């Protein structure tokens, strides 16, 4: 239901990056990996300067077994995140495993 709700949110406001990102997370939990990746990429397209989108993308790519792509996305998150932000570093560690 969350994935559908966020799909409606971004339908109503196509530039709403958090809607895409949380839709990505919901789709990831449902195992709908290609859709999760697409939603994360759409969120990044709205706000490429925000590190969180790259974390969501890294999670989707890791789940899909695309390690090199996941590491690249997590590295971008780490570059953009505040040095004290642990989630970007955690995503990078998870992608490298």
């Amino acid at each position: 239901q969350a994935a559908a709700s966020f799909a409606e949110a971004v339908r109503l406001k196509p530039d709403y990056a958090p809607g895409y990102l949380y839709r990505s997370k919901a789709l990831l939990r449902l195992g709908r990996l290609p859709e999760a990746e697409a939603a994360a990429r759409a969120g990044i397209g709205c706000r490429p300067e925000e590190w969180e989108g790259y974390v969501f993308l890294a999670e989707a790519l890791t789940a899909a077994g695309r390690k090199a792509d996941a590491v690249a996305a997590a590295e971008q998150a780490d570059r953009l995140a505040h040095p004290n932000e642990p989630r970007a570093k955690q995503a990078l560690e998870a992608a490298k495993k």
Side-chain angles (χ1 to χ4, degrees):
Q1 190 175 7
S5 295
F6 286 118
E8 178 64 8
V10 296
R11 186 188 69 76
L12 295 171
K13 188 167 175 24
D15 63 343
Y16 182 55
Y20 289 108
L21 299 179
Y22 290 110
R23 181 167 193 263
S24 174
K25 181 67 100 176
L27 291 165
L28 180 61
R29 289 189 178 168
L30 293 171
R32 294 164 54 184
L33 304 181
E35 292 172 90
E37 178 186 347
R41 289 188 187 281
I44 291 169
C46 294
R47 299 294 304 265
E49 73 281 4
E50 297 285 334
W51 64 271
E52 288 178 300
Y54 297 96
V55 169
F56 283 84
L57 178 59
E59 290 173 349
L61 294 168
T62 297
R66 294 172 50 198
K67 183 177 180 174
D69 294 333
V71 168
E75 286 174 341
Q76 180 66 9
D78 194 42
R79 278 191 291 277
L80 293 172
H82 187 277
N84 293 333
E85 175 53 60
R87 292 178 290 169
K89 291 185 186 341
Q90 290 166 352
L92 183 54
E93 290 171 16
K96 287 182 175 180
K97 287 184 180 179

